[in-house]
Amino acid sequence: MTRHWQTRSRILPLQRTLVMGILNLTPDSFSDGGRYVDADQAIEHAYAMVEAGADIVDVGGESTRPGALPVPEGEELDRVIPVVGELAAAGLVVSVDTRKPKVAAAALEAGAEIVNDVSGLRHPEMRRVVAEAGAGAVIMHMQGEPATMQQDPRYDDVVAEVEAFLLAQAGRSEAAGVAPEAIVLDPGIGFGKTVDHNLTLLRHLHRLARHRYPVMVGTSRKSFLQRITGAAEAHRLDEATAVTVALAIAQGVSVVRVHDVPLARDAAAVAEAIVGDSPWQA
Ligand code: PMM
């Protein structure tokens, strides 16, 4: 597996787990209740996450939670670009969580390093934008669209299907000129998946991690954790998230996307101390 992640202007080493802190600029985000729509507050929160050990700040202006409707392009640009510009100018490594090629292009222009696309770089224009900028790319798996994806998700073999999709999209991206070292794969926990599908994928992260691409996982405050623990509030799921972080690292996952950065950083430190260079990567 690649031991670094090549992004637009940086090379991020992967010897230690990268923690990606979530900055949702969406009024309807289920997990932080829209506390960070105000740009100044959002920027403060980003600095606090970096202070607490975040390696990357993932800025998103369109909610992709189950049932969410698409946001018009102009609105997403207005939410995301000023914040990306300011954080990048301050020297932070910024990824932009978007499915829109125009938003991705503008964010890269404003200094973002990585495009995090929950639709897995399915749009040919998105592959072109990422290739042209030499940006890092997160290719995520999603069955269906956010508005309807949780209605009746079905797979014959969820691990094999997710793995095949991610590898096919990585291949298409490389064919479009994206460097293999720029690509990170993400199974898309909660995106068109039942609780059982999520758990099966989390049990088989080592299968995804056996390929040449680093693997990222996003479990933070997701509803399957709520279903398992019965926790009433989103922030009460951070400990449960930390458990998934440790178990993911034990299987060779390189990047974790979380809301609570200090907890994830501690979980990663303990997991790394126990597993060292994960036997799953052998
Ligand atoms: N999850 C959400 C949004 N973006 N991106 C990647 N790569 N992986 C994820 O699991 C992921 C994502 C939804 O969660 P949020 O609304 O709490 O940000």
Side-chain angles (χ1 to χ4, degrees), residues 73-174:
E73 189 169 89
E75 201 172 318
E76 196 178 331
L77 284 166
D78 287 349
R79 284 182 193 169
V80 163
I81 302 306
V83 173
V84 168
E86 175 143 356
L87 297 179
L92 273 58
V93 180
V94 176
S95 71
V96 61
D97 185 345
T98 187
R99 299 186 284 164
K100 298 189 182 74
K102 279 208 179 120
V103 175
L108 292 167
E109 183 84 8
E113 290 286 330
I114 297 158
V115 175
N116 172 24
D117 179 6
V118 300
S119 67
L121 262 53
R122 262 182 274 191
H123 201 307
E125 180 63 11
M126 192 62 127
R127 300 198 285 271
R128 199 189 60 73
V129 165
V130 168
E132 206 157 86
V138 179
I139 296 179
M140 198 197 80
H141 175 275
M142 166 167 67
Q143 185 181 85
E145 291 292 317
T148 52
M149 67 190 177
Q150 289 307 106
Q151 281 170 11
D152 185 23
R154 276 167 201 253
Y155 302 83
D156 288 326
D157 180 337
V158 66
V159 178
E161 287 169 48
V162 167
E163 183 177 33
F165 170 84
L166 294 175
L167 293 175
Q169 289 309 104
R172 285 194 182 101
S173 304
E174 285 184 39

Side-chain angles (χ1 to χ4, degrees), residues 19-35:
V19 173
M20 178 186 272
I22 300 171
L23 196 66
N24 277 331
L25 306 176
T26 53
D28 60 344
S29 171
F30 68 96
S31 39
D32 54 27
R35 272 161 58 214

Side-chain angles (χ1 to χ4, degrees), residues 2-277:
T2 320
R3 299 310 290 161
H4 65 268
W5 187 3
Q6 188 182 312
T7 67
R8 189 179 54 77
S9 70
R10 304 198 193 212
I11 291 177
L12 308 179
L14 296 173
Q15 275 73 21
R16 201 180 67 135
T17 309
L18 295 179
V19 173
M20 178 186 272
I22 300 171
L23 196 66
N24 277 331
L25 306 176
T26 53
D28 60 344
S29 171
F30 68 96
S31 39
D32 54 27
R35 272 161 58 214
Y36 303 111
V37 238
D38 177 74
D40 290 338
Q41 269 186 37
I43 287 160
E44 288 234 334
H45 183 61
Y47 290 142
M49 288 196 292
V50 169
E51 185 76 12
D55 302 286
I56 302 165
V57 174
D58 189 39
V59 181
E62 178 185 57
S63 172
T64 47
R65 75 184 162 81
L69 297 173
V71 171
E73 189 169 89
E75 201 172 318
E76 196 178 331
L77 284 166
D78 287 349
R79 284 182 193 169
V80 163
I81 302 306
V83 173
V84 168
E86 175 143 356
L87 297 179
L92 273 58
V93 180
V94 176
S95 71
V96 61
D97 185 345
T98 187
R99 299 186 284 164
K100 298 189 182 74
K102 279 208 179 120
V103 175
L108 292 167
E109 183 84 8
E113 290 286 330
I114 297 158
V115 175
N116 172 24
D117 179 6
V118 300
S119 67
L121 262 53
R122 262 182 274 191
H123 201 307
E125 180 63 11
M126 192 62 127
R127 300 198 285 271
R128 199 189 60 73
V129 165
V130 168
E132 206 157 86
V138 179
I139 296 179
M140 198 197 80
H141 175 275
M142 166 167 67
Q143 185 181 85
E145 291 292 317
T148 52
M149 67 190 177
Q150 289 307 106
Q151 281 170 11
D152 185 23
R154 276 167 201 253
Y155 302 83
D156 288 326
D157 180 337
V158 66
V159 178
E161 287 169 48
V162 167
E163 183 177 33
F165 170 84
L166 294 175
L167 293 175
Q169 289 309 104
R172 285 194 182 101
S173 304
E174 285 184 39
V178 179
E181 295 79 17
I183 295 173
V184 166
L185 305 180
D186 182 336
I189 297 302
F191 285 83
K193 282 136 191 141
T194 62
V195 173
D196 205 39
H197 293 141
N198 290 326
L199 295 175
T200 303
L201 283 166
L202 290 172
R203 208 175 288 131
H204 292 88
L205 290 170
H206 57 93
R207 283 246 320 251
L208 296 181
R210 69 188 167 166
H211 302 288
R212 69 167 302 175
Y213 310 103
V215 173
M216 164 167 147
V217 74
T219 51
S220 193
R221 299 183 184 172
K222 287 197 173 161
S223 65
F224 79 104
L225 296 175
Q226 204 267 330
R227 292 273 297 280
I228 293 168
T229 62
E233 297 159 54
H235 73 270
R236 297 259 298 113
L237 296 173
D238 289 326
E239 287 84 355
T241 302
V243 173
T244 68
V245 164
L247 290 169
I249 292 168
Q251 295 181 69
V253 163
S254 302
V255 191
V256 292
R257 180 182 181 278
V258 297
H259 297 87
D260 189 323
V261 170
L263 256 182
R265 195 77 266 173
D266 286 350
V270 174
E272 285 159 6
I274 294 169
V275 300
D277 222 3

